[in-house]
Amino acid sequence: MEFLQLLMLFIAVMLIWFRPANEKLAWCLTIVAWFSVVFMYVGHVSTAILGSMNL
C-alpha cells in the first residue's frame, strides 16, 4: 500500500513538472495519498491500542 501512495505522489510531481495545466489533478492525487496515509496510520495505532487491552 505504501508503494501505491508513493506512486501517486510521484505521478503528481510529474504532472506538475511536465503538464502544469493538470495541476488540479495533481493536487487531488496528493490529497488522496495523504488521506490514505492518515487512514492507515490511525488504523494501525487503534488496532495496536485495542489489541493490548484485556477485554
Side-chain angles (χ1 to χ4, degrees):
M1 195 65 170
E2 290 86 5
F3 178 74
L4 179 64
Q5 294 157 356
L6 289 174
L7 185 65
M8 283 193 298
L9 290 174
F10 178 73
I11 291 171
V13 168
M14 290 296 115
L15 276 173
I16 290 175
W17 198 350
F18 291 115
R19 297 183 187 252
N22 291 338
E23 183 180 358
K24 189 170 185 174
L25 176 63
W27 277 110
C28 289
L29 284 173
T30 304
I31 290 171
V32 167
W34 285 346
F35 278 131
S36 64
V37 168
V38 169
F39 178 73
M40 286 178 52
Y41 175 75
V42 169
H44 176 73
V45 170
S46 66
T47 304
I49 291 172
L50 293 176
S52 66
M53 295 173 67
N54 192 4
L55 301 175

